[in-house]
């Protein structure tokens, strides 16, 4: 499925001969493309965002622990 293929013409929805089956088929196609695109976005961008958050939290925790371990007085 090509996520970036041109959308069906809007005239197909409002044409006098447009049947409910045609409209339902267009709606299914749009839904499939939207879900596929959201899944791709979630896998690529959301995973990267979560990894950055986890790495930042690990760095903060490591820094806190190193401060607790030190014998210096601040």
């Amino acid at each position: 499925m090509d996520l970036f293929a041109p959308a069906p013409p809007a005239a197909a929805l409002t044409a006098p001969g447009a049947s409910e089956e045609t409209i339902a088929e267009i709606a299914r196609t749009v839904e499939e493309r939207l879900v596929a695109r959201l899944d791709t976005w979630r896998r690529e961008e959301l995973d990267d965002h979560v990894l950055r958050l986890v790495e930042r939290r690990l760095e903060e925790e490591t820094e806190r622990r190193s401060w607790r371990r030190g014998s210096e007085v601040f």
Side-chain angles (χ1 to χ4, degrees):
M1 175 187 310
D2 183 11
L3 298 177
F4 301 103
L13 298 174
T14 58
S19 66
E20 288 186 27
E21 293 84 23
T22 304
I23 294 171
E25 183 178 331
I26 291 172
R28 275 192 304 275
T29 302
V30 169
E31 180 182 7
E32 289 170 0
R33 289 172 57 185
L34 180 63
V35 168
R37 181 64 185 131
L38 286 173
D39 286 342
T40 301
W41 173 79
R42 186 178 59 207
R43 280 192 311 268
E44 294 171 358
E45 296 176 19
L46 191 59
D47 288 349
D48 289 342
H49 182 70
V50 169
L51 287 174
R52 284 192 306 266
L53 284 173
V54 169
E55 288 172 354
R56 188 181 76 200
R57 296 285 168 90
L58 284 172
E59 288 174 4
E60 291 171 354
E61 184 61 28
T62 302
E63 185 177 339
R64 273 194 294 276
R65 288 178 186 212
S66 66
W67 277 90
R68 289 183 197 152
R69 243 183 304 178
S71 60
E72 300 86 14
V73 176
F74 295 98

